[in-house]
Amino acid sequence: MAKYLLLKHYRGAPAAVNHIPMDQWTPDEVEAHIQFMSDFATRLEGTGEFVDGQALSPDGLWVRSDGDGPPVTDGPFAETKDLIAGWMIIDVDSQERAVELAGELSAAPGAGGEPIHEWLEVRPFLAAPPTVTD
Amino acid sequence: MDDVELRELVPQVLSVLVRRGADFATAEDAVQEALIRAVPAWEQDPPSDPKGWLITVAWRAFLDLARSEASRRDREARVDAEPPTGVVPSADDTLHLYFLAAHPDLTPSSAVALTLRALGGLTTRQIAQAYLVPESTMAQRISRAKRTIGRSGLDRPGDVRTVMRVLYLIFNEGYSGDVDLAAEAIRLTRQLATSANDPEVHGLLALMLLHHARRRSRSGPDGRIVPLADQDRSLWDTELIAEGVVILQAALGRDRPGEYQVQAAIAALHADAERVQDTDWTQIVEWYDELLRFADTPVVRLNRAVAVGEADGALAGLAALAQVDEHIPRHEAVAAYLHEKNGELELAARLYADASRNAPNLAERDHQMCQAARLNEMLRRQ
């Protein structure tokens, strides 16, 4: 088994095929999308592949230490190119399976009831070293 | 004996150990140990006196823990001062335990965890699951909290205000996982109300009961938000409402009003309306004005603006909203609602979309997005 992070971006991913903003969808389309996302997580719990899913607020800030004083903060930056919206962590048998699931998630319904076909980023976790090394 | 009845005994057993001179931290571990042993032992052979059984087993566990702790300390030559033992300043032992677990020196998250364990009898694992953190993290939080109390807990008197804040926090966390924190907070507040002679404690209990009574109607499938106006009021628990109202009236009758009693009065006025159009908004606004005397916060002012909008119309609500710091959470949601009520649909739709983007949780994010979509669809059809 290997863990993968499926990352969804507010900004920074290539444009989705069906990229109309959500507040322009019909209420039924919004409902259908929310239902799809909820069902997707439930299904992966059922297959024993779900680890975690979280959504992030778009507002964050940058922090760095400033020696002895309190940390310096900056942002949020409206011009930040890459902004993560949320993630799902899955534990699957192969990269193929991770790609398959990301593909299904990317096809969540959007405007006009058509799949969004948004780009999701799939990142493998760096795992602990194996016990048998030779 | 079910799980809750068993856990009801926890503070009683713990206070017996403390009264016998056990230090709070070790005694609390010992009671947990006794609880864990009780489950298999009682299945085989239920005791005739469960409380006596727990006291005996917890006391033995305490002696074992204290002995091994003493030898460990000797080995490591620890110089940590032993907390003073055997001092029980409060006449009421259970109340004293509440004060310890919600000690003002503790951070809110530590006080919450310790209260749920020492007074609620929940296991570290259950508390960790309820707050979605690893069990080892919660265990550390609890043992650090106990060290803090060991250092400073016993020489400062407790504060029922702090206890109420902790119980309010637990109640507001609501429901996640196997443990129903709202129900647990109500149980603990009931227990507190039997020993603390403060009308605010009864106000807090009434507030919890009145909100809990509406719980089933407050969210739809998948945890979606159902706003007050759209709730199916036949799902409200009329028994809980009646109980809350009686407790509140008795508390208000003592003429020592406070923040929780006033919040409960507002909840009672909502609960009292058979249909949303029967809501006595004028009186609700008056209670919000009263609430401002005790807690003049932007959140109270924001909620007051909604009530003013219902009582005196959207423009009055917007005028009240203009006095509220616009950077607080849900400001955009309230603005959207009032502008929609005032017929400014485009502005309202934009504000709902902003409210969704800045929502503090997923349920609200989805709810506000549905509102934006609803208005935009209406605008397209015009």
Side-chain angles (χ1 to χ4, degrees):
Chain A
M1 299 293 273
K3 291 192 178 67
Y4 288 85
L5 177 68
L6 312 186
L7 272 178
K8 183 182 163 80
H9 296 246
Y10 285 117
R11 287 196 296 268
V17 175
N18 182 1
H19 58 82
I20 298 169
M22 200 187 265
D23 63 329
Q24 301 299 323
W25 306 359
T26 70
D28 287 347
E29 288 160 6
V30 175
E31 293 277 346
H33 179 83
I34 294 167
Q35 190 66 47
F36 176 94
M37 300 303 278
S38 161
D39 291 349
F40 189 83
T42 307
R43 182 159 64 84
L44 290 198
E45 279 177 43
T47 58
E49 295 170 309
F50 180 82
V51 178
D52 183 38
Q54 300 290 338
L56 296 173
S57 161
D59 287 329
L61 66 170
W62 290 81
V63 182
R64 73 164 171 81
S65 86
D66 193 34
D68 296 333
V72 184
T73 63
D74 208 349
F77 302 113
E79 71 277 15
T80 301
K81 287 199 182 71
D82 194 354
L83 191 60
I84 292 162
W87 67 74
M88 192 174 284
I89 298 171
I90 54 176
D91 195 5
V92 292
D93 283 317
S94 63
Q95 172 147 330
E96 289 70 35
R97 177 63 178 157
V99 168
E100 182 186 353
L101 288 173
E104 289 176 27
L105 193 57
S106 157
E114 296 298 316
I116 301 175
H117 294 307
E118 67 185 323
W119 288 93
L120 297 175
E121 193 177 356
V122 178
R123 304 278 301 271
F125 276 53
L126 294 179
T131 312
V132 179
T133 52
D134 52 12
Chain B
M1 173 171 277
D2 68 20
D3 170 59
V4 171
E5 287 170 326
L6 174 63
R7 291 194 289 111
E8 297 262 337
L9 298 174
V10 165
Q12 301 172 36
V13 175
L14 181 54
S15 45
V16 170
L17 263 61
V18 171
R19 209 186 305 138
R20 284 185 186 173
D23 70 280
F24 173 76
T26 315
E28 205 277 326
D29 282 333
V31 174
Q32 281 273 329
E33 183 66 36
L35 279 179
I36 290 164
R37 288 188 205 164
V39 176
W42 294 11
E43 260 174 33
Q44 300 259 313
D45 180 19
S48 55
D49 173 15
K51 187 177 158 187
W53 189 99
L54 282 173
I55 290 170
T56 306
V57 174
W59 183 250
R60 271 192 230 126
F62 164 72
L63 293 177
D64 288 347
L65 286 168
R67 265 197 291 272
S68 66
E69 172 71 3
S71 63
R72 187 177 65 81
R73 238 197 315 269
D74 291 345
R75 273 202 311 279
E76 298 176 7
R78 278 276 178 94
V79 290
D80 274 4
E82 181 113 32
T85 57
V87 189
V88 183
S90 164
D92 187 306
D93 295 336
T94 302
L95 190 59
H96 174 62
L97 290 179
Y98 271 95
F99 289 163
L100 278 184
H103 196 275
D105 285 359
L106 296 175
T107 61
S109 59
S110 301
V112 159
L114 194 55
T115 299
L116 286 171
R117 218 177 95 126
L119 279 309
L122 293 175
T123 64
T124 304
R125 174 188 295 246
Q126 286 173 313
I127 302 166
Q129 281 173 349
Y131 285 94
L132 305 175
V133 299
E135 188 178 346
S136 53
T137 302
M138 191 52 82
Q140 276 303 323
R141 197 177 291 173
I142 290 168
S143 66
R144 284 173 66 102
K146 291 206 278 192
R147 278 203 296 279
T148 303
I149 290 176
R151 275 197 300 273
S152 63
L154 299 168
D155 29 291
R156 284 218 279 150
D159 178 359
V160 77
R161 304 273 132 188
T162 328
V163 176
M164 287 193 285
R165 255 200 306 282
V166 166
L167 295 174
Y168 186 79
L169 278 179
I170 296 172
F171 181 74
N172 256 338
E173 195 68 30
Y175 180 82
S176 54
D178 293 336
V179 179
D180 184 343
L181 288 174
E184 192 59 21
I186 289 175
R187 196 177 70 75
L188 291 170
T189 308
R190 269 189 206 284
Q191 196 169 267
L192 178 67
T194 61
S195 43
N197 184 32
D198 183 331
E200 271 293 84
V201 175
H202 295 265
L204 176 62
L205 178 57
L207 172 67
M208 289 178 176
L209 293 171
L210 289 162
H211 277 276
H212 204 60
R214 304 205 300 252
R215 175 154 96 169
R216 270 185 302 161
S217 66
R218 223 170 18 221
S219 52
D222 297 330
R224 298 222 209 135
I225 291 176
V226 182
L228 184 59
D230 301 334
Q231 288 174 14
D232 177 356
R233 295 179 182 225
S234 70
L235 293 175
W236 291 2
D237 185 331
T238 48
E239 260 176 57
L240 277 189
I241 290 172
E243 190 194 352
V245 168
V246 169
I247 291 170
L248 173 64
Q249 279 170 341
L252 287 172
R254 295 172 62 185
D255 212 20
R256 281 163 57 205
E259 192 181 335
Y260 294 120
Q261 291 170 75
V262 175
Q263 283 192 58
I266 294 167
L269 282 167
H270 285 301
D272 193 41
E274 260 176 55
R275 300 167 306 164
V276 62
Q277 58 268 38
D278 300 333
T279 311
D280 188 344
W281 288 105
T282 307
Q283 230 196 111
I284 289 178
V285 172
E286 286 167 13
W287 279 112
Y288 271 117
D289 290 336
E290 180 81 2
L291 187 53
L292 284 175
R293 284 181 43 219
F294 299 106
D296 190 348
T297 67
V299 174
V300 172
R301 288 187 172 271
L302 185 69
N303 292 333
R304 183 180 170 279
V306 177
V308 169
E310 300 296 342
D312 303 324
L315 284 176
L318 286 166
L321 184 65
Q323 311 295 316
V324 183
D325 176 3
E326 59 182 43
H327 299 293
I328 65 165
R330 302 188 180 90
H331 188 282
E332 286 149 333
V334 171
Y337 177 77
L338 290 170
H339 281 294
E340 180 186 354
K341 204 173 161 63
N342 197 39
E344 302 159 274
L345 300 193
E346 274 172 57
L347 176 57
R350 216 160 45 238
L351 285 164
Y352 277 129
D354 291 344
S356 172
R357 196 161 35 251
N358 298 323
N361 59 62
L362 275 177
E364 285 181 49
R365 187 177 85 177
D366 292 347
H367 178 73
Q368 304 303 350
M369 185 52 78
C370 287
Q371 300 286 56
R374 175 179 58 80
L375 284 192
N376 281 324
E377 186 181 47
M378 216 188 278
L379 286 164
R380 279 195 299 275
R381 285 184 180 166
Q382 277 178 2

Short mmCIF file of all heavy atoms in Angstrom, two decimals, chain A residues 10 22-27 30-31 34-35 38-39 54-59 85, chain B residues 222 224 349-350 353 357-359 362 365-367 369-370 372-374 376-377 380:
data_model
loop_
_atom_site.label_atom_id
_atom_site.label_comp_id
_atom_site.label_asym_id
_atom_site.label_seq_id
_atom_site.Cartn_x
_atom_site.Cartn_y
_atom_site.Cartn_z
N TYR A 10 -7.19 26.26 -5.42
CA TYR A 10 -8.01 27.42 -5.77
C TYR A 10 -7.42 28.10 -7.00
O TYR A 10 -8.10 28.51 -7.92
CB TYR A 10 -8.03 28.45 -4.63
CG TYR A 10 -8.89 28.11 -3.44
CD1 TYR A 10 -8.30 27.93 -2.20
CD2 TYR A 10 -10.27 28.01 -3.54
CE1 TYR A 10 -9.07 27.66 -1.08
CE2 TYR A 10 -11.04 27.74 -2.43
CZ TYR A 10 -10.45 27.56 -1.19
OH TYR A 10 -11.21 27.29 -0.10
N MET A 22 -18.73 28.54 -9.30
CA MET A 22 -19.84 27.80 -8.71
C MET A 22 -21.07 28.67 -8.42
O MET A 22 -22.20 28.19 -8.50
CB MET A 22 -19.37 27.13 -7.43
CG MET A 22 -20.26 25.99 -6.99
SD MET A 22 -19.80 25.32 -5.37
CE MET A 22 -18.76 23.98 -5.84
N ASP A 23 -20.87 29.95 -8.09
CA ASP A 23 -22.05 30.75 -7.76
C ASP A 23 -22.90 31.04 -8.99
O ASP A 23 -24.00 31.56 -8.88
CB ASP A 23 -21.64 32.06 -7.03
CG ASP A 23 -20.80 32.97 -7.89
OD1 ASP A 23 -20.03 32.45 -8.73
OD2 ASP A 23 -20.88 34.20 -7.73
N GLN A 24 -22.38 30.68 -10.19
CA GLN A 24 -23.17 30.84 -11.41
C GLN A 24 -23.89 29.55 -11.80
O GLN A 24 -24.61 29.52 -12.81
CB GLN A 24 -22.26 31.29 -12.57
CG GLN A 24 -21.53 32.60 -12.33
CD GLN A 24 -22.47 33.77 -12.11
OE1 GLN A 24 -23.52 33.87 -12.73
NE2 GLN A 24 -22.12 34.66 -11.17
N TRP A 25 -23.67 28.47 -11.04
CA TRP A 25 -24.41 27.24 -11.33
C TRP A 25 -25.83 27.37 -10.80
O TRP A 25 -26.12 28.26 -9.99
CB TRP A 25 -23.76 26.03 -10.64
CG TRP A 25 -22.30 25.81 -10.90
CD1 TRP A 25 -21.49 26.56 -11.71
CD2 TRP A 25 -21.49 24.80 -10.32
NE1 TRP A 25 -20.22 26.05 -11.66
CE2 TRP A 25 -20.19 24.98 -10.83
CE3 TRP A 25 -21.71 23.75 -9.43
CZ2 TRP A 25 -19.13 24.15 -10.47
CZ3 TRP A 25 -20.67 22.93 -9.08
CH2 TRP A 25 -19.40 23.12 -9.60
N THR A 26 -26.70 26.46 -11.20
CA THR A 26 -28.03 26.45 -10.58
C THR A 26 -27.91 25.82 -9.18
O THR A 26 -26.97 25.05 -8.93
CB THR A 26 -29.05 25.63 -11.39
OG1 THR A 26 -28.70 24.25 -11.28
CG2 THR A 26 -29.07 26.06 -12.86
N PRO A 27 -28.85 26.13 -8.30
CA PRO A 27 -28.80 25.52 -6.96
C PRO A 27 -28.75 23.99 -7.03
O PRO A 27 -28.03 23.36 -6.26
CB PRO A 27 -30.09 26.01 -6.30
CG PRO A 27 -30.40 27.30 -6.98
CD PRO A 27 -29.94 27.13 -8.40
N VAL A 30 -25.25 22.88 -7.74
CA VAL A 30 -24.40 23.00 -6.55
C VAL A 30 -24.67 21.82 -5.61
O VAL A 30 -23.74 21.16 -5.12
CB VAL A 30 -24.67 24.34 -5.81
CG1 VAL A 30 -23.88 24.41 -4.52
CG2 VAL A 30 -24.32 25.52 -6.71
N GLU A 31 -25.95 21.53 -5.40
CA GLU A 31 -26.32 20.40 -4.54
C GLU A 31 -25.71 19.10 -5.05
O GLU A 31 -25.18 18.30 -4.27
CB GLU A 31 -27.86 20.23 -4.52
CG GLU A 31 -28.61 21.36 -3.85
CD GLU A 31 -28.68 21.19 -2.33
OE1 GLU A 31 -28.37 20.09 -1.85
OE2 GLU A 31 -29.01 22.18 -1.65
N ILE A 34 -21.99 18.94 -4.24
CA ILE A 34 -21.72 18.68 -2.82
C ILE A 34 -21.99 17.20 -2.51
O ILE A 34 -21.22 16.53 -1.83
CB ILE A 34 -22.60 19.59 -1.94
CG1 ILE A 34 -22.19 21.06 -2.12
CG2 ILE A 34 -22.52 19.19 -0.47
CD1 ILE A 34 -23.19 22.07 -1.56
N GLN A 35 -23.08 16.70 -3.07
CA GLN A 35 -23.44 15.29 -2.85
C GLN A 35 -22.37 14.36 -3.42
O GLN A 35 -21.97 13.39 -2.78
CB GLN A 35 -24.80 15.01 -3.53
CG GLN A 35 -25.40 13.67 -3.16
CD GLN A 35 -25.77 13.61 -1.68
OE1 GLN A 35 -26.38 14.52 -1.16
NE2 GLN A 35 -25.36 12.55 -1.00
N SER A 38 -19.31 14.26 -1.16
CA SER A 38 -19.58 13.51 0.07
C SER A 38 -19.64 12.00 -0.21
O SER A 38 -19.07 11.20 0.52
CB SER A 38 -20.89 14.03 0.67
OG SER A 38 -21.41 13.11 1.57
N ASP A 39 -20.31 11.65 -1.32
CA ASP A 39 -20.42 10.22 -1.68
C ASP A 39 -19.06 9.63 -2.01
O ASP A 39 -18.78 8.47 -1.70
CB ASP A 39 -21.34 10.05 -2.90
CG ASP A 39 -22.79 10.36 -2.56
OD1 ASP A 39 -23.10 10.50 -1.36
OD2 ASP A 39 -23.60 10.49 -3.50
N GLN A 54 -9.58 17.16 3.86
CA GLN A 54 -9.76 18.44 4.54
C GLN A 54 -9.88 19.54 3.49
O GLN A 54 -9.29 19.46 2.42
CB GLN A 54 -8.55 18.77 5.44
CG GLN A 54 -8.28 17.77 6.55
CD GLN A 54 -9.33 17.79 7.66
OE1 GLN A 54 -10.04 18.78 7.83
NE2 GLN A 54 -9.43 16.70 8.38
N ALA A 55 -10.63 20.56 3.85
CA ALA A 55 -10.70 21.76 3.01
C ALA A 55 -10.00 22.89 3.76
O ALA A 55 -10.01 22.91 4.99
CB ALA A 55 -12.15 22.13 2.74
N LEU A 56 -9.40 23.80 3.02
CA LEU A 56 -8.67 24.90 3.64
C LEU A 56 -9.32 26.23 3.30
O LEU A 56 -9.83 26.42 2.19
CB LEU A 56 -7.22 24.94 3.12
CG LEU A 56 -6.34 23.75 3.46
CD1 LEU A 56 -5.01 23.88 2.72
CD2 LEU A 56 -6.12 23.65 4.95
N SER A 57 -9.26 27.13 4.26
CA SER A 57 -9.70 28.50 3.99
C SER A 57 -8.72 29.14 3.00
O SER A 57 -7.53 28.88 3.05
CB SER A 57 -9.71 29.28 5.30
OG SER A 57 -9.69 30.65 5.02
N PRO A 58 -9.23 29.98 2.10
CA PRO A 58 -8.30 30.64 1.17
C PRO A 58 -7.41 31.67 1.88
O PRO A 58 -6.36 32.04 1.36
CB PRO A 58 -9.23 31.32 0.16
CG PRO A 58 -10.56 31.41 0.81
CD PRO A 58 -10.63 30.31 1.82
N ASP A 59 -7.84 32.13 3.05
CA ASP A 59 -7.06 33.13 3.78
C ASP A 59 -6.00 32.45 4.62
O ASP A 59 -6.32 31.65 5.50
CB ASP A 59 -7.96 33.94 4.71
CG ASP A 59 -8.82 34.90 3.94
OD1 ASP A 59 -8.36 35.37 2.87
OD2 ASP A 59 -9.95 35.16 4.38
N ALA A 85 -6.70 24.44 -2.10
CA ALA A 85 -8.08 24.52 -1.59
C ALA A 85 -8.37 23.39 -0.62
O ALA A 85 -9.19 23.54 0.29
CB ALA A 85 -9.06 24.45 -2.76
N ASP B 222 -26.23 14.75 5.48
CA ASP B 222 -24.83 15.16 5.26
C ASP B 222 -24.46 16.42 6.03
O ASP B 222 -23.56 17.14 5.64
CB ASP B 222 -24.52 15.41 3.77
CG ASP B 222 -24.69 14.16 2.96
OD1 ASP B 222 -24.47 13.08 3.53
OD2 ASP B 222 -25.05 14.26 1.78
N ARG B 224 -25.95 19.27 6.27
CA ARG B 224 -26.25 20.60 5.68
C ARG B 224 -27.03 21.46 6.65
O ARG B 224 -27.85 20.95 7.41
CB ARG B 224 -27.10 20.41 4.44
CG ARG B 224 -26.27 19.63 3.50
CD ARG B 224 -26.27 20.00 2.14
NE ARG B 224 -25.99 18.75 1.43
CZ ARG B 224 -26.65 18.39 0.39
NH1 ARG B 224 -27.61 19.16 -0.06
NH2 ARG B 224 -26.35 17.28 -0.20
N ALA B 349 -26.30 38.55 -3.94
CA ALA B 349 -25.68 37.36 -4.53
C ALA B 349 -24.16 37.42 -4.41
O ALA B 349 -23.50 36.43 -4.08
CB ALA B 349 -26.09 37.23 -6.00
N ARG B 350 -23.62 38.63 -4.67
CA ARG B 350 -22.16 38.79 -4.57
C ARG B 350 -21.71 38.56 -3.12
O ARG B 350 -20.70 37.91 -2.87
CB ARG B 350 -21.80 40.20 -5.04
CG ARG B 350 -20.50 40.26 -5.78
CD ARG B 350 -20.35 41.49 -6.65
NE ARG B 350 -20.72 42.75 -6.05
CZ ARG B 350 -21.65 43.58 -6.55
NH1 ARG B 350 -22.29 43.25 -7.65
NH2 ARG B 350 -21.92 44.72 -5.98
N ALA B 353 -21.67 34.93 -2.18
CA ALA B 353 -20.49 34.24 -2.72
C ALA B 353 -19.26 34.56 -1.87
O ALA B 353 -18.45 33.67 -1.57
CB ALA B 353 -20.27 34.64 -4.18
N ARG B 357 -16.91 32.00 0.40
CA ARG B 357 -15.45 31.92 0.31
C ARG B 357 -14.82 32.07 1.70
O ARG B 357 -13.84 31.42 2.01
CB ARG B 357 -14.95 33.01 -0.64
CG ARG B 357 -13.55 32.82 -1.11
CD ARG B 357 -13.23 33.61 -2.38
NE ARG B 357 -13.90 34.90 -2.46
CZ ARG B 357 -14.90 35.18 -3.30
NH1 ARG B 357 -15.34 34.27 -4.14
NH2 ARG B 357 -15.45 36.37 -3.31
N ASN B 358 -15.39 32.92 2.53
CA ASN B 358 -14.79 33.20 3.84
C ASN B 358 -15.46 32.45 4.98
O ASN B 358 -15.24 32.78 6.15
CB ASN B 358 -14.84 34.70 4.11
CG ASN B 358 -14.05 35.48 3.09
OD1 ASN B 358 -13.00 35.02 2.65
ND2 ASN B 358 -14.56 36.62 2.66
N ALA B 359 -16.27 31.46 4.65
CA ALA B 359 -17.02 30.76 5.71
C ALA B 359 -16.07 30.02 6.64
O ALA B 359 -15.05 29.50 6.21
CB ALA B 359 -18.00 29.77 5.09
N LEU B 362 -17.29 24.06 6.64
CA LEU B 362 -17.76 23.54 5.36
C LEU B 362 -19.27 23.66 5.20
O LEU B 362 -19.75 23.99 4.11
CB LEU B 362 -17.39 22.06 5.25
CG LEU B 362 -16.00 21.76 4.72
CD1 LEU B 362 -15.75 20.27 4.75
CD2 LEU B 362 -15.84 22.30 3.30
N ARG B 365 -20.04 27.08 4.30
CA ARG B 365 -19.54 27.38 2.96
C ARG B 365 -20.53 26.87 1.91
O ARG B 365 -20.90 27.60 0.98
CB ARG B 365 -18.16 26.72 2.75
CG ARG B 365 -17.53 27.13 1.46
CD ARG B 365 -16.16 26.53 1.30
NE ARG B 365 -16.24 25.19 0.75
CZ ARG B 365 -15.17 24.47 0.45
NH1 ARG B 365 -13.95 24.92 0.73
NH2 ARG B 365 -15.31 23.28 -0.07
N ASP B 366 -20.97 25.64 2.07
CA ASP B 366 -21.91 25.07 1.11
C ASP B 366 -23.24 25.82 1.14
O ASP B 366 -23.83 26.10 0.09
CB ASP B 366 -22.15 23.59 1.43
CG ASP B 366 -20.91 22.75 1.18
OD1 ASP B 366 -19.97 23.27 0.54
OD2 ASP B 366 -20.87 21.60 1.64
N HIS B 367 -23.68 26.14 2.35
CA HIS B 367 -24.98 26.82 2.49
C HIS B 367 -24.96 28.17 1.78
O HIS B 367 -25.88 28.50 1.02
CB HIS B 367 -25.31 26.98 3.97
CG HIS B 367 -26.59 27.70 4.22
ND1 HIS B 367 -27.81 27.13 3.99
CD2 HIS B 367 -26.84 28.96 4.67
CE1 HIS B 367 -28.76 28.00 4.27
NE2 HIS B 367 -28.20 29.11 4.69
N MET B 369 -22.98 29.17 -0.57
CA MET B 369 -22.85 28.99 -2.02
C MET B 369 -24.21 28.68 -2.63
O MET B 369 -24.54 29.18 -3.72
CB MET B 369 -21.84 27.87 -2.31
CG MET B 369 -21.52 27.68 -3.78
SD MET B 369 -21.02 29.23 -4.61
CE MET B 369 -19.31 29.38 -4.05
N CYS B 370 -25.01 27.86 -1.97
CA CYS B 370 -26.36 27.56 -2.48
C CYS B 370 -27.21 28.83 -2.53
O CYS B 370 -28.00 29.02 -3.47
CB CYS B 370 -27.05 26.52 -1.60
SG CYS B 370 -26.37 24.86 -1.80
N ALA B 372 -26.07 31.92 -2.96
CA ALA B 372 -25.59 32.72 -4.10
C ALA B 372 -26.14 32.16 -5.41
O ALA B 372 -26.63 32.91 -6.27
CB ALA B 372 -24.05 32.71 -4.12
N ALA B 373 -26.10 30.84 -5.54
CA ALA B 373 -26.59 30.20 -6.77
C ALA B 373 -28.08 30.45 -6.94
O ALA B 373 -28.56 30.70 -8.05
CB ALA B 373 -26.29 28.71 -6.73
N ARG B 374 -28.82 30.38 -5.83
CA ARG B 374 -30.27 30.60 -5.89
C ARG B 374 -30.58 32.01 -6.40
O ARG B 374 -31.41 32.19 -7.30
CB ARG B 374 -30.84 30.41 -4.48
CG ARG B 374 -32.33 30.71 -4.33
CD ARG B 374 -32.82 30.47 -2.92
NE ARG B 374 -32.10 31.26 -1.92
CZ ARG B 374 -32.34 32.54 -1.65
NH1 ARG B 374 -33.28 33.18 -2.32
NH2 ARG B 374 -31.64 33.20 -0.74
N ASN B 376 -28.56 34.07 -8.11
CA ASN B 376 -28.09 34.28 -9.48
C ASN B 376 -29.04 33.64 -10.49
O ASN B 376 -29.26 34.17 -11.58
CB ASN B 376 -26.67 33.73 -9.65
CG ASN B 376 -25.64 34.70 -9.07
OD1 ASN B 376 -25.82 35.92 -9.17
ND2 ASN B 376 -24.61 34.18 -8.46
N GLU B 377 -29.61 32.49 -10.12
CA GLU B 377 -30.58 31.85 -11.02
C GLU B 377 -31.83 32.74 -11.16
O GLU B 377 -32.35 32.96 -12.25
CB GLU B 377 -30.97 30.49 -10.47
CG GLU B 377 -31.87 29.71 -11.44
CD GLU B 377 -32.29 28.36 -10.88
OE1 GLU B 377 -32.71 28.31 -9.70
OE2 GLU B 377 -32.20 27.37 -11.61
N ARG B 380 -31.05 35.56 -13.48
CA ARG B 380 -30.99 35.17 -14.89
C ARG B 380 -32.39 35.07 -15.48
O ARG B 380 -32.59 35.30 -16.66
CB ARG B 380 -30.29 33.81 -15.03
CG ARG B 380 -28.77 33.90 -15.01
CD ARG B 380 -28.13 32.60 -15.51
NE ARG B 380 -28.45 31.44 -14.71
CZ ARG B 380 -27.80 31.07 -13.60
NH1 ARG B 380 -26.77 31.79 -13.18
NH2 ARG B 380 -28.16 30.00 -12.94
#
